[in-house]
Amino acid sequence: MKIAILGKPFDDEAAPAIQALLDDLIARRADVRIGESFRTFLDNRLRLPEGTTSFRRGDSLRGVQYVLSIGGDGTLLDTVTYVGSLQIPILGIHTGRLGFLATITPDRITQAIDALYKGHFNIEERSLIRVDTDPDVFGSLNFGLNEFSVLKRDTSSMIVVHTYIDGEYLNSYWADGLVVATPTGSTGYSLSCGGPVMLPQTNNFIIAPVCPHNLNVRPLVVSDQSVISFEIEGRSTSYMLALDSRSLPVEASVQIAVRRENFNARLVKLNHVNFLSTLRSKLNWGLDRRNPAGTQV
């Protein structure tokens, strides 16, 4: 089996679990490829499988059966950009802080690898958001799993985001910015802006203003078959565009439209993990003394 690994530096306490993962792959004679920067981190710390090769961004992962993302949710968001339209299933191993997307804890790594080889898992199809700009801003990495944001820069005054759905005028948001989130991103930035939580299979986007100056403006749920476009104005001549964890300053003259990408991210979920259990464990849903004794939270 061909397995690619991407990751971020982790604490010493996670090292034994990651070594156990590598030893398991050695025992199974897996063909292992490791992202170049992560391999540099691992080289002097852990014993790698013999014949391990490295890869960089832009190198094709064609032929790889699974990609392991070791880190936090940000690492998994970055992993999605490496996989792209190949739609290789991604298993998120959590060595970060929250672990909403990367749900496999270090103590369950061996169980997770065994599940991969036995096929004891589910695949969750997660929709992606695509951003088209003129002139081009994000290049070939113009898609994301969580959200797209238009934001004011630094301490500049608020901006006005004139927003259109399929060419029809929706609203002019006087705010610090605007977020367009996928169902996966509904538990991220959009949630902190007062947006709703949506199940991953929901075919919608959330449009949520950031710190709006109009208190009667609320987040809006729209079909992900829509094309959402923007015109920006404000006292500043530039603002920020953010796509998941990638952000760039742009001139106010840039034209922007977002839509659903024509391919998905595919996340590996073990049978004991699902979105509802993650809501309870990560967001403390159900943490109420009135709930029945023994109810998992």
Side-chain angles (χ1 to χ4, degrees), residues 102-128:
T103 55
I104 304 302
T105 53
D107 60 300
R108 290 185 175 269
I109 288 177
T110 300
Q111 174 186 349
I113 298 303
D114 191 54
L116 283 186
Y117 274 82
K118 293 181 177 178
H120 295 169
F121 60 86
N122 298 314
I123 294 289
E124 284 190 357
E125 300 280 349
R126 299 292 185 99
S127 61
L128 302 171

PDB file of all heavy atoms in Angstrom, residues 102-128:
ATOM      1  N   ALA A 102      -9.251  16.619  12.484  1.00  0.00           N
ATOM      2  CA  ALA A 102      -8.296  15.535  12.725  1.00  0.00           C
ATOM      3  C   ALA A 102      -8.705  14.849  14.022  1.00  0.00           C
ATOM      4  O   ALA A 102      -8.352  15.276  15.117  1.00  0.00           O
ATOM      5  CB  ALA A 102      -6.877  16.095  12.838  1.00  0.00           C
ATOM      6  N   THR A 103      -9.465  13.774  13.894  1.00  0.00           N
ATOM      7  CA  THR A 103     -10.146  13.201  15.059  1.00  0.00           C
ATOM      8  C   THR A 103      -9.440  12.008  15.695  1.00  0.00           C
ATOM      9  O   THR A 103      -9.844  11.556  16.764  1.00  0.00           O
ATOM     10  CB  THR A 103     -11.574  12.759  14.660  1.00  0.00           C
ATOM     11  OG1 THR A 103     -11.490  11.861  13.543  1.00  0.00           O
ATOM     12  CG2 THR A 103     -12.415  13.967  14.262  1.00  0.00           C
ATOM     13  N   ILE A 104      -8.387  11.481  15.054  1.00  0.00           N
ATOM     14  CA  ILE A 104      -7.717  10.299  15.600  1.00  0.00           C
ATOM     15  C   ILE A 104      -6.667  10.744  16.611  1.00  0.00           C
ATOM     16  O   ILE A 104      -5.701  11.423  16.273  1.00  0.00           O
ATOM     17  CB  ILE A 104      -7.061   9.463  14.486  1.00  0.00           C
ATOM     18  CG1 ILE A 104      -8.091   9.065  13.441  1.00  0.00           C
ATOM     19  CG2 ILE A 104      -6.376   8.239  15.070  1.00  0.00           C
ATOM     20  CD1 ILE A 104      -9.258   8.269  13.981  1.00  0.00           C
ATOM     21  N   THR A 105      -6.857  10.374  17.872  1.00  0.00           N
ATOM     22  CA  THR A 105      -5.903  10.732  18.914  1.00  0.00           C
ATOM     23  C   THR A 105      -4.714   9.772  18.869  1.00  0.00           C
ATOM     24  O   THR A 105      -4.824   8.656  18.348  1.00  0.00           O
ATOM     25  CB  THR A 105      -6.573  10.665  20.290  1.00  0.00           C
ATOM     26  OG1 THR A 105      -7.186   9.371  20.464  1.00  0.00           O
ATOM     27  CG2 THR A 105      -7.646  11.742  20.421  1.00  0.00           C
ATOM     28  N   PRO A 106      -3.541  10.193  19.404  1.00  0.00           N
ATOM     29  CA  PRO A 106      -2.344   9.346  19.329  1.00  0.00           C
ATOM     30  C   PRO A 106      -2.537   7.934  19.876  1.00  0.00           C
ATOM     31  O   PRO A 106      -1.960   6.983  19.347  1.00  0.00           O
ATOM     32  CB  PRO A 106      -1.325  10.133  20.161  1.00  0.00           C
ATOM     33  CG  PRO A 106      -1.719  11.567  19.969  1.00  0.00           C
ATOM     34  CD  PRO A 106      -3.223  11.544  19.941  1.00  0.00           C
ATOM     35  N   ASP A 107      -3.366   7.777  20.897  1.00  0.00           N
ATOM     36  CA  ASP A 107      -3.556   6.440  21.479  1.00  0.00           C
ATOM     37  C   ASP A 107      -4.378   5.518  20.575  1.00  0.00           C
ATOM     38  O   ASP A 107      -4.445   4.309  20.827  1.00  0.00           O
ATOM     39  CB  ASP A 107      -4.235   6.551  22.856  1.00  0.00           C
ATOM     40  CG  ASP A 107      -5.597   7.210  22.783  1.00  0.00           C
ATOM     41  OD1 ASP A 107      -5.660   8.374  22.339  1.00  0.00           O
ATOM     42  OD2 ASP A 107      -6.592   6.557  23.160  1.00  0.00           O
ATOM     43  N   ARG A 108      -4.974   6.073  19.502  1.00  0.00           N
ATOM     44  CA  ARG A 108      -5.792   5.254  18.590  1.00  0.00           C
ATOM     45  C   ARG A 108      -5.140   5.073  17.215  1.00  0.00           C
ATOM     46  O   ARG A 108      -5.776   4.593  16.286  1.00  0.00           O
ATOM     47  CB  ARG A 108      -7.184   5.873  18.415  1.00  0.00           C
ATOM     48  CG  ARG A 108      -8.070   5.773  19.652  1.00  0.00           C
ATOM     49  CD  ARG A 108      -9.468   6.309  19.354  1.00  0.00           C
ATOM     50  NE  ARG A 108     -10.380   6.130  20.465  1.00  0.00           N
ATOM     51  CZ  ARG A 108     -11.156   5.058  20.642  1.00  0.00           C
ATOM     52  NH1 ARG A 108     -11.104   4.077  19.753  1.00  0.00           N
ATOM     53  NH2 ARG A 108     -11.957   4.977  21.675  1.00  0.00           N
ATOM     54  N   ILE A 109      -3.873   5.465  17.105  1.00  0.00           N
ATOM     55  CA  ILE A 109      -3.217   5.406  15.796  1.00  0.00           C
ATOM     56  C   ILE A 109      -3.119   3.974  15.281  1.00  0.00           C
ATOM     57  O   ILE A 109      -3.439   3.684  14.118  1.00  0.00           O
ATOM     58  CB  ILE A 109      -1.817   6.051  15.859  1.00  0.00           C
ATOM     59  CG1 ILE A 109      -1.953   7.568  15.993  1.00  0.00           C
ATOM     60  CG2 ILE A 109      -1.012   5.711  14.617  1.00  0.00           C
ATOM     61  CD1 ILE A 109      -0.633   8.296  16.128  1.00  0.00           C
ATOM     62  N   THR A 110      -2.670   3.047  16.117  1.00  0.00           N
ATOM     63  CA  THR A 110      -2.531   1.655  15.682  1.00  0.00           C
ATOM     64  C   THR A 110      -3.868   1.087  15.228  1.00  0.00           C
ATOM     65  O   THR A 110      -3.958   0.404  14.199  1.00  0.00           O
ATOM     66  CB  THR A 110      -1.960   0.797  16.822  1.00  0.00           C
ATOM     67  OG1 THR A 110      -0.678   1.317  17.195  1.00  0.00           O
ATOM     68  CG2 THR A 110      -1.800  -0.649  16.387  1.00  0.00           C
ATOM     69  N   GLN A 111      -4.919   1.399  15.983  1.00  0.00           N
ATOM     70  CA  GLN A 111      -6.264   0.947  15.619  1.00  0.00           C
ATOM     71  C   GLN A 111      -6.685   1.548  14.276  1.00  0.00           C
ATOM     72  O   GLN A 111      -7.298   0.864  13.440  1.00  0.00           O
ATOM     73  CB  GLN A 111      -7.260   1.362  16.711  1.00  0.00           C
ATOM     74  CG  GLN A 111      -8.714   1.071  16.389  1.00  0.00           C
ATOM     75  CD  GLN A 111      -9.658   1.632  17.433  1.00  0.00           C
ATOM     76  OE1 GLN A 111      -9.231   2.061  18.513  1.00  0.00           O
ATOM     77  NE2 GLN A 111     -10.932   1.652  17.117  1.00  0.00           N
ATOM     78  N   ALA A 112      -6.325   2.819  14.059  1.00  0.00           N
ATOM     79  CA  ALA A 112      -6.712   3.493  12.823  1.00  0.00           C
ATOM     80  C   ALA A 112      -6.022   2.880  11.611  1.00  0.00           C
ATOM     81  O   ALA A 112      -6.654   2.665  10.565  1.00  0.00           O
ATOM     82  CB  ALA A 112      -6.379   4.982  12.923  1.00  0.00           C
ATOM     83  N   ILE A 113      -4.727   2.591  11.714  1.00  0.00           N
ATOM     84  CA  ILE A 113      -3.996   1.987  10.596  1.00  0.00           C
ATOM     85  C   ILE A 113      -4.539   0.602  10.289  1.00  0.00           C
ATOM     86  O   ILE A 113      -4.703   0.211   9.123  1.00  0.00           O
ATOM     87  CB  ILE A 113      -2.487   1.927  10.896  1.00  0.00           C
ATOM     88  CG1 ILE A 113      -1.934   3.347  11.073  1.00  0.00           C
ATOM     89  CG2 ILE A 113      -1.739   1.220   9.771  1.00  0.00           C
ATOM     90  CD1 ILE A 113      -2.151   4.262   9.907  1.00  0.00           C
ATOM     91  N   ASP A 114      -4.848  -0.146  11.332  1.00  0.00           N
ATOM     92  CA  ASP A 114      -5.428  -1.477  11.128  1.00  0.00           C
ATOM     93  C   ASP A 114      -6.767  -1.366  10.406  1.00  0.00           C
ATOM     94  O   ASP A 114      -7.076  -2.173   9.514  1.00  0.00           O
ATOM     95  CB  ASP A 114      -5.603  -2.168  12.484  1.00  0.00           C
ATOM     96  CG  ASP A 114      -5.941  -3.644  12.341  1.00  0.00           C
ATOM     97  OD1 ASP A 114      -5.185  -4.363  11.663  1.00  0.00           O
ATOM     98  OD2 ASP A 114      -6.973  -4.075  12.894  1.00  0.00           O
ATOM     99  N   ALA A 115      -7.549  -0.331  10.761  1.00  0.00           N
ATOM    100  CA  ALA A 115      -8.846  -0.129  10.106  1.00  0.00           C
ATOM    101  C   ALA A 115      -8.670   0.206   8.631  1.00  0.00           C
ATOM    102  O   ALA A 115      -9.459  -0.233   7.783  1.00  0.00           O
ATOM    103  CB  ALA A 115      -9.621   0.973  10.819  1.00  0.00           C
ATOM    104  N   LEU A 116      -7.625   0.980   8.306  1.00  0.00           N
ATOM    105  CA  LEU A 116      -7.360   1.303   6.903  1.00  0.00           C
ATOM    106  C   LEU A 116      -7.107   0.035   6.097  1.00  0.00           C
ATOM    107  O   LEU A 116      -7.647  -0.141   4.997  1.00  0.00           O
ATOM    108  CB  LEU A 116      -6.148   2.234   6.785  1.00  0.00           C
ATOM    109  CG  LEU A 116      -6.309   3.711   7.118  1.00  0.00           C
ATOM    110  CD1 LEU A 116      -5.028   4.460   6.787  1.00  0.00           C
ATOM    111  CD2 LEU A 116      -7.482   4.333   6.380  1.00  0.00           C
ATOM    112  N   TYR A 117      -6.272  -0.839   6.629  1.00  0.00           N
ATOM    113  CA  TYR A 117      -5.912  -2.054   5.899  1.00  0.00           C
ATOM    114  C   TYR A 117      -7.082  -3.032   5.801  1.00  0.00           C
ATOM    115  O   TYR A 117      -7.183  -3.774   4.817  1.00  0.00           O
ATOM    116  CB  TYR A 117      -4.711  -2.729   6.567  1.00  0.00           C
ATOM    117  CG  TYR A 117      -3.378  -2.195   6.085  1.00  0.00           C
ATOM    118  CD1 TYR A 117      -2.852  -1.028   6.604  1.00  0.00           C
ATOM    119  CD2 TYR A 117      -2.662  -2.850   5.091  1.00  0.00           C
ATOM    120  CE1 TYR A 117      -1.639  -0.517   6.149  1.00  0.00           C
ATOM    121  CE2 TYR A 117      -1.450  -2.349   4.635  1.00  0.00           C
ATOM    122  CZ  TYR A 117      -0.942  -1.190   5.161  1.00  0.00           C
ATOM    123  OH  TYR A 117       0.258  -0.690   4.705  1.00  0.00           O
ATOM    124  N   LYS A 118      -7.962  -3.028   6.784  1.00  0.00           N
ATOM    125  CA  LYS A 118      -9.099  -3.950   6.776  1.00  0.00           C
ATOM    126  C   LYS A 118     -10.334  -3.351   6.120  1.00  0.00           C
ATOM    127  O   LYS A 118     -11.323  -4.055   5.901  1.00  0.00           O
ATOM    128  CB  LYS A 118      -9.424  -4.378   8.209  1.00  0.00           C
ATOM    129  CG  LYS A 118      -8.345  -5.240   8.853  1.00  0.00           C
ATOM    130  CD  LYS A 118      -8.730  -5.645  10.266  1.00  0.00           C
ATOM    131  CE  LYS A 118      -7.688  -6.563  10.888  1.00  0.00           C
ATOM    132  NZ  LYS A 118      -8.032  -6.927  12.290  1.00  0.00           N
ATOM    133  N   GLY A 119     -10.297  -2.051   5.835  1.00  0.00           N
ATOM    134  CA  GLY A 119     -11.456  -1.407   5.229  1.00  0.00           C
ATOM    135  C   GLY A 119     -12.565  -1.103   6.206  1.00  0.00           C
ATOM    136  O   GLY A 119     -13.716  -0.893   5.800  1.00  0.00           O
ATOM    137  N   HIS A 120     -12.242  -1.050   7.502  1.00  0.00           N
ATOM    138  CA  HIS A 120     -13.268  -0.804   8.532  1.00  0.00           C
ATOM    139  C   HIS A 120     -13.380   0.697   8.808  1.00  0.00           C
ATOM    140  O   HIS A 120     -13.007   1.179   9.883  1.00  0.00           O
ATOM    141  CB  HIS A 120     -12.923  -1.557   9.815  1.00  0.00           C
ATOM    142  CG  HIS A 120     -12.939  -3.042   9.663  1.00  0.00           C
ATOM    143  ND1 HIS A 120     -12.442  -3.907  10.619  1.00  0.00           N
ATOM    144  CD2 HIS A 120     -13.395  -3.830   8.656  1.00  0.00           C
ATOM    145  CE1 HIS A 120     -12.592  -5.160  10.199  1.00  0.00           C
ATOM    146  NE2 HIS A 120     -13.166  -5.128   9.009  1.00  0.00           N
ATOM    147  N   PHE A 121     -13.875   1.439   7.850  1.00  0.00           N
ATOM    148  CA  PHE A 121     -14.013   2.884   8.011  1.00  0.00           C
ATOM    149  C   PHE A 121     -15.062   3.380   7.033  1.00  0.00           C
ATOM    150  O   PHE A 121     -15.503   2.661   6.134  1.00  0.00           O
ATOM    151  CB  PHE A 121     -12.675   3.592   7.766  1.00  0.00           C
ATOM    152  CG  PHE A 121     -12.101   3.365   6.387  1.00  0.00           C
ATOM    153  CD1 PHE A 121     -12.463   4.169   5.314  1.00  0.00           C
ATOM    154  CD2 PHE A 121     -11.210   2.321   6.151  1.00  0.00           C
ATOM    155  CE1 PHE A 121     -11.948   3.945   4.048  1.00  0.00           C
ATOM    156  CE2 PHE A 121     -10.689   2.094   4.890  1.00  0.00           C
ATOM    157  CZ  PHE A 121     -11.060   2.903   3.836  1.00  0.00           C
ATOM    158  N   ASN A 122     -15.445   4.629   7.229  1.00  0.00           N
ATOM    159  CA  ASN A 122     -16.355   5.312   6.311  1.00  0.00           C
ATOM    160  C   ASN A 122     -15.622   6.478   5.660  1.00  0.00           C
ATOM    161  O   ASN A 122     -14.648   7.000   6.210  1.00  0.00           O
ATOM    162  CB  ASN A 122     -17.582   5.842   7.060  1.00  0.00           C
ATOM    163  CG  ASN A 122     -18.399   4.733   7.698  1.00  0.00           C
ATOM    164  OD1 ASN A 122     -18.670   3.720   7.060  1.00  0.00           O
ATOM    165  ND2 ASN A 122     -18.789   4.931   8.948  1.00  0.00           N
ATOM    166  N   ILE A 123     -16.095   6.879   4.493  1.00  0.00           N
ATOM    167  CA  ILE A 123     -15.560   8.053   3.814  1.00  0.00           C
ATOM    168  C   ILE A 123     -16.618   9.147   3.850  1.00  0.00           C
ATOM    169  O   ILE A 123     -17.757   8.939   3.426  1.00  0.00           O
ATOM    170  CB  ILE A 123     -15.187   7.756   2.348  1.00  0.00           C
ATOM    171  CG1 ILE A 123     -14.022   6.777   2.268  1.00  0.00           C
ATOM    172  CG2 ILE A 123     -14.852   9.047   1.612  1.00  0.00           C
ATOM    173  CD1 ILE A 123     -12.687   7.353   2.694  1.00  0.00           C
ATOM    174  N   GLU A 124     -16.242  10.313   4.384  1.00  0.00           N
ATOM    175  CA  GLU A 124     -17.128  11.471   4.364  1.00  0.00           C
ATOM    176  C   GLU A 124     -16.721  12.390   3.221  1.00  0.00           C
ATOM    177  O   GLU A 124     -15.571  12.837   3.147  1.00  0.00           O
ATOM    178  CB  GLU A 124     -17.060  12.238   5.686  1.00  0.00           C
ATOM    179  CG  GLU A 124     -17.808  11.586   6.819  1.00  0.00           C
ATOM    180  CD  GLU A 124     -17.909  12.492   8.031  1.00  0.00           C
ATOM    181  OE1 GLU A 124     -17.343  13.606   8.018  1.00  0.00           O
ATOM    182  OE2 GLU A 124     -18.572  12.087   9.003  1.00  0.00           O
ATOM    183  N   GLU A 125     -17.653  12.657   2.347  1.00  0.00           N
ATOM    184  CA  GLU A 125     -17.417  13.588   1.246  1.00  0.00           C
ATOM    185  C   GLU A 125     -17.684  15.003   1.748  1.00  0.00           C
ATOM    186  O   GLU A 125     -18.782  15.320   2.205  1.00  0.00           O
ATOM    187  CB  GLU A 125     -18.339  13.270   0.070  1.00  0.00           C
ATOM    188  CG  GLU A 125     -18.172  11.875  -0.510  1.00  0.00           C
ATOM    189  CD  GLU A 125     -16.976  11.770  -1.454  1.00  0.00           C
ATOM    190  OE1 GLU A 125     -16.407  12.833  -1.804  1.00  0.00           O
ATOM    191  OE2 GLU A 125     -16.627  10.638  -1.838  1.00  0.00           O
ATOM    192  N   ARG A 126     -16.668  15.839   1.700  1.00  0.00           N
ATOM    193  CA  ARG A 126     -16.800  17.222   2.170  1.00  0.00           C
ATOM    194  C   ARG A 126     -16.670  18.184   0.983  1.00  0.00           C
ATOM    195  O   ARG A 126     -15.687  18.138   0.246  1.00  0.00           O
ATOM    196  CB  ARG A 126     -15.727  17.550   3.212  1.00  0.00           C
ATOM    197  CG  ARG A 126     -15.796  16.677   4.473  1.00  0.00           C
ATOM    198  CD  ARG A 126     -17.047  16.972   5.280  1.00  0.00           C
ATOM    199  NE  ARG A 126     -17.077  16.242   6.543  1.00  0.00           N
ATOM    200  CZ  ARG A 126     -16.738  16.772   7.727  1.00  0.00           C
ATOM    201  NH1 ARG A 126     -16.317  18.031   7.785  1.00  0.00           N
ATOM    202  NH2 ARG A 126     -16.812  16.052   8.817  1.00  0.00           N
ATOM    203  N   SER A 127     -17.667  19.039   0.809  1.00  0.00           N
ATOM    204  CA  SER A 127     -17.649  19.991  -0.300  1.00  0.00           C
ATOM    205  C   SER A 127     -16.576  21.052  -0.059  1.00  0.00           C
ATOM    206  O   SER A 127     -16.224  21.384   1.077  1.00  0.00           O
ATOM    207  CB  SER A 127     -19.019  20.648  -0.466  1.00  0.00           C
ATOM    208  OG  SER A 127     -19.385  21.362   0.706  1.00  0.00           O
ATOM    209  N   LEU A 128     -16.062  21.595  -1.149  1.00  0.00           N
ATOM    210  CA  LEU A 128     -15.035  22.628  -1.115  1.00  0.00           C
ATOM    211  C   LEU A 128     -15.568  23.912  -1.730  1.00  0.00           C
ATOM    212  O   LEU A 128     -16.495  23.884  -2.552  1.00  0.00           O
ATOM    213  CB  LEU A 128     -13.794  22.178  -1.895  1.00  0.00           C
ATOM    214  CG  LEU A 128     -13.125  20.887  -1.424  1.00  0.00           C
ATOM    215  CD1 LEU A 128     -12.050  20.459  -2.428  1.00  0.00           C
ATOM    216  CD2 LEU A 128     -12.516  21.064  -0.044  1.00  0.00           C
TER     217      LEU A 128
END
